[in-house]
Amino acid sequence: MNNRKKSRPLTRRLFRDRLNPLDFMTDGQIIKNYRLDRASIYDLYEEMQDDLKKSTHRSSSLSVSLQVMIVLRYYASGSYMNVIGDAHGVSEMAVSRCVNAVSKNITGNIQRYLKFPVSNVNKQNIMYDFYDINEFPLVLGAIDGTLIRIKAPSVDEHLYVYRKGYHALNIQGVCNSNNRFTNVVARWPGPTHDSYIWND
């Protein structure tokens, strides 16, 4: 009787075809699923190309364009990572790595994307634009806050428990007349009062 273990037959590893959604989706579908238009997504590709391109010899590494699309879908839908992975032909772990890498890239270059008006000319233009909307004078931005649910932090986790019993950040945002963010503050625990964030 042969006691040696039978070795499993080698099977060729197959990779699913990862199509870029921009290649086959209409403009309307792109905005619906990713919340940005085609040109804005291309701009993101270009800006993140050097930071996100992986130096690997593996044929299965994710392109920068696919990484960005995965993360935009995750942001837009708020769905589970395994659902996003299934939609793009990648694993849940790959989605997690993409979200981490792209999010760090965005926050590390936040000044490129968010610019509060500082020159008098920019301020005047924004005030004129707001006045054109509804004749409301001297407006530089529309401000609001929202709670974003988070995992419990490892340090001072009790500070982040919102009154409804979950951990959250209280995020404050300012938009201009074109619905573009000009300022975002995303560092305060959920229970922090809006007026405190504004005064700070």
Side-chain angles (χ1 to χ4, degrees):
M1 187 170 170
N2 189 353
N3 289 331
R4 286 189 304 177
K5 290 183 179 177
K6 289 184 180 178
S7 61
R8 281 196 271 174
L10 292 175
T11 56
R12 190 170 174 208
R13 195 168 172 200
L14 297 175
F15 295 100
R16 293 173 65 181
D17 185 21
R18 300 179 183 129
L19 295 174
N20 186 331
L22 295 183
D23 292 340
F24 59 89
M25 282 188 164
T26 65
D27 291 342
Q29 289 172 319
I30 290 168
I31 291 172
K32 179 182 176 187
N33 288 305
Y34 298 93
R35 300 292 191 264
L36 287 177
D37 59 55
R38 193 182 301 268
S40 298
I41 295 173
Y42 281 128
D43 288 344
L44 276 178
Y45 289 177
E46 292 301 316
E47 289 184 25
M48 296 185 181
Q49 186 71 30
D50 293 337
D51 296 330
L52 295 180
K53 191 166 187 177
K54 294 187 171 36
S55 55
T56 178
H57 297 296
R58 294 179 60 198
S59 60
S60 58
S61 64
L62 299 182
S63 65
V64 173
S65 59
L66 185 58
Q67 291 179 63
V68 170
M69 296 303 289
I70 287 169
V71 175
L72 289 177
R73 184 71 180 264
Y74 177 72
Y75 291 162
S77 69
S79 190
Y80 293 106
M81 289 187 180
N82 62 338
V83 175
I84 303 297
D86 288 347
H88 290 88
V90 299
S91 69
E92 183 178 351
M93 184 56 69
V95 173
S96 177
R97 284 192 295 264
C98 290
V99 169
N100 186 42
V102 172
S103 298
K104 281 183 178 177
N105 186 276
I106 291 172
T107 56
N109 295 291
I110 200 74
Q111 297 307 318
R112 252 196 259 172
Y113 308 113
L114 304 181
K115 294 178 182 167
F116 198 78
V118 289
S119 74
N120 287 332
V121 173
N122 286 344
K123 289 179 182 178
Q124 286 296 326
N125 289 338
I126 290 173
M127 285 192 273
Y128 289 140
D129 289 343
F130 270 113
Y131 189 82
D132 284 345
I133 292 173
N134 215 7
E135 297 185 2
F136 201 78
L138 305 176
V139 177
L140 272 181
I143 187 170
D144 199 5
T146 188
L147 289 168
I148 304 293
R149 187 179 283 212
I150 60 170
K151 290 182 181 177
S154 56
V155 178
D156 295 328
E157 73 80 32
H158 65 284
L159 297 177
Y160 293 84
V161 179
Y162 184 58
R163 62 182 171 80
K164 293 189 176 177
Y166 59 84
H167 298 84
L169 284 175
N170 193 348
I171 311 294
Q172 175 188 276
V174 180
C175 286
N176 64 17
S177 56
N178 297 315
N179 298 321
R180 293 184 180 273
F181 282 103
T182 56
N183 182 264
V184 173
V185 178
R187 66 174 182 267
W188 292 100
T192 308
H193 198 278
D194 290 350
S195 63
Y196 184 88
I197 297 174
W198 168 251
N199 290 329
D200 181 75

